[in-house]
Amino acid sequence: MKVIAPNRVDREFYRYQKEYEMKTLQVLRSGCYVLGKEVFSFEEEFANYIGSKYCVGLASGLDALWIAFRILGIGEGDEVIVQGNTYIASVMGITINGATPVFVEPDEFYNIDSAKIEEKITDKTKAILVVHLYGQASDMKKIMGIAKKHNLRVVEDCAQSHGASCYGNKTGTWGDIGCFSFYPTKNLGAYGDAGAIVTNDESIARDVRVFRNYGSEERYHNKVVGANSRLDEIQAGLLRVKLSHIDLINNERTLLAQKYLCKLKNPRIILPIVRKNVDSVWHQFVIRCKDRAELIRYLDKKKIGTIIHYPIPPHLSEAYRYLCVSKGTLPITEQYANEVLSLPMYSGMTDEEQGYVIDMINEF
């Protein structure tokens, strides 16, 4: 058995290679490379797919996050509630604007524990940042009820949940703003950095469009001090190709996840579970193991690659030492950081590859 990588983006490329290459040449031959037909078409098509009124393409998922809070006017002196076990980019979206993240423990589904949100709300709280981690939608009905009760904004970090839904509505459509990353490893991944914001608020969409282009709606007429965060024409074109196949890609990952769930039988391994009335697009298949280091060494010897998402919680990172959130403050977050492990999961994974991973883990 050859080395099995934790993720492979080339398999999906080769599956639709002709479409990607034709689209790339089409864009190159068009002579239009910034904010052209491909970007505007992708924005319309992705908004329709997600079920939102508006989509604005941006340069990255991180840009989507920090621009979202900037447009909502959340900054210095404000607090934003966010789960403790997210990727650090989620928190950066808050702090780049000068606001303060207030961490909440995750639940058994690895998303924010909605039962622990209200105890963290103060008179400084302005928003809740919901992260749909590993591809599973969060409990948006409860979270939106809390937000409405306390008059809070809701931003959704959908970097890992393209197409996942809660009570039939896709992630990104519940809150004020949905933020997406199209980094190459995502279910809907580009071939470089790319991101987007979706919203049902016309004024928010308009403000983001202005902000992403140096604060300019009309060339050389700058309304605000904005940013250069434009979705590239070639990336938009390639995303249009992948978007036409995204349901097939997500269904494939679901079948892989179901096989893992059905055939992994090792008492040392804790398998992921999915909440009722939500679904997962299985961006990652994350297990937990108290003897993780031993398991990783074992799998390395068996030529099976794994990734830890994520080994250092944001509150314990050097970057956020200034927040003075000491070790032990978020015990569930820290336990997960010490135990989680992502198994190989990618479009184009073969039965032989997955069967080998399952057999080796069962023998651990």
Side-chain angles (χ1 to χ4, degrees), residues 229-240:
S229 182
R230 299 173 297 212
L231 175 60
D232 178 81
E233 272 288 286
I234 289 180
Q235 298 300 344
L238 296 173
L239 283 168
R240 291 183 68 198

Side-chain angles (χ1 to χ4, degrees), residues 259-260 263-264 354-363:
K259 187 174 179 180
Y260 272 141
K263 295 193 174 184
L264 283 173
Q354 190 179 24
Y356 177 72
V357 173
I358 291 169
D359 289 343
M360 292 304 98
I361 291 178
N362 285 342
E363 290 178 14

Side-chain angles (χ1 to χ4, degrees), residues 101-286:
V102 176
F103 298 107
V104 171
E105 292 272 53
D107 56 22
E108 60 187 325
F109 307 100
Y110 304 122
N111 284 326
I112 191 168
D113 190 338
S114 57
K116 297 178 180 177
I117 292 176
E118 284 195 279
E119 64 190 50
K120 298 287 187 174
I121 295 174
T122 70
D123 57 359
K124 295 181 180 180
T125 307
K126 294 297 186 293
I128 303 170
L129 174 57
V130 182
V131 185
H132 305 290
L133 201 63
Y134 305 147
Q136 181 172 178
S138 299
D139 190 0
M140 293 308 298
K141 270 196 174 181
K142 288 186 178 179
I143 293 168
M144 293 307 298
I146 293 168
K148 185 176 181 179
K149 177 182 175 182
H150 296 276
N151 194 29
L152 302 176
R153 296 284 204 169
V154 175
V155 176
E156 297 176 68
D157 183 342
C158 310
Q160 301 184 2
S161 65
H162 312 77
S165 63
C166 175
Y167 291 93
N169 294 323
K170 286 188 172 67
T171 59
T173 64
W174 289 82
D176 297 278
I177 295 176
C179 301
F180 287 85
S181 166
F182 304 120
Y183 187 74
T185 58
K186 307 301 184 185
N187 292 31
L188 181 60
Y191 289 84
D193 279 312
I197 274 175
V198 299
T199 183
N200 288 319
D201 189 315
E202 183 180 7
S203 65
I204 288 176
R206 183 179 61 249
D207 289 347
V208 175
R209 285 195 186 97
V210 169
F211 194 88
R212 74 174 173 185
N213 191 32
Y214 297 100
S216 173
E217 198 167 22
E218 180 184 351
R219 196 172 188 182
Y220 301 130
H221 293 263
N222 302 80
K223 298 174 68 174
V224 296
V225 178
N228 176 9
S229 182
R230 299 173 297 212
L231 175 60
D232 178 81
E233 272 288 286
I234 289 180
Q235 298 300 344
L238 296 173
L239 283 168
R240 291 183 68 198
V241 172
K242 188 171 286 189
L243 181 60
S244 69
H245 302 292
I246 188 61
D247 286 336
L248 288 173
I249 292 169
N250 283 343
N251 288 340
E252 179 185 10
R253 299 178 83 95
T254 298
L255 291 174
L256 290 168
Q258 289 173 346
K259 187 174 179 180
Y260 272 141
L261 291 170
C262 179
K263 295 193 174 184
L264 283 173
K265 307 287 185 183
N266 188 320
R268 300 176 72 181
I269 302 299
I270 299 173
L271 296 174
I273 56 176
V274 178
R275 191 193 310 273
K276 290 182 180 179
N277 299 311
V278 311
D279 65 16
S280 176
V281 292
W282 298 101
H283 174 63
Q284 304 292 345
F285 189 91
V286 180

Side-chain angles (χ1 to χ4, degrees), residues 252-355:
E252 179 185 10
R253 299 178 83 95
T254 298
L255 291 174
L256 290 168
Q258 289 173 346
K259 187 174 179 180
Y260 272 141
L261 291 170
C262 179
K263 295 193 174 184
L264 283 173
K265 307 287 185 183
N266 188 320
R268 300 176 72 181
I269 302 299
I270 299 173
L271 296 174
I273 56 176
V274 178
R275 191 193 310 273
K276 290 182 180 179
N277 299 311
V278 311
D279 65 16
S280 176
V281 292
W282 298 101
H283 174 63
Q284 304 292 345
F285 189 91
V286 180
I287 63 171
R288 283 174 35 220
C289 179
K290 293 186 182 298
D291 306 305
R292 183 178 65 188
E294 181 187 351
L295 175 59
I296 292 173
R297 287 193 297 270
Y298 166 82
L299 292 176
D300 282 345
K301 289 179 181 178
K302 302 297 181 181
K303 299 183 179 181
I304 297 172
T306 56
I307 299 177
I308 301 172
H309 293 99
Y310 302 98
I312 303 174
H315 73 282
L316 297 183
S317 69
E318 185 178 353
Y320 289 119
R321 190 175 295 166
Y322 73 90
L323 293 174
C324 299
V325 182
S326 59
K327 188 173 183 179
T329 303
L330 299 168
I332 299 174
T333 293
E334 293 167 26
Q335 178 186 352
Y336 287 175
N338 291 328
E339 296 179 356
V340 293
L341 188 67
S342 298
L343 300 185
M345 165 72 81
Y346 47 86
S347 181
M349 189 178 193
T350 67
D351 288 340
E352 182 185 12
E353 288 171 333
Q354 190 179 24

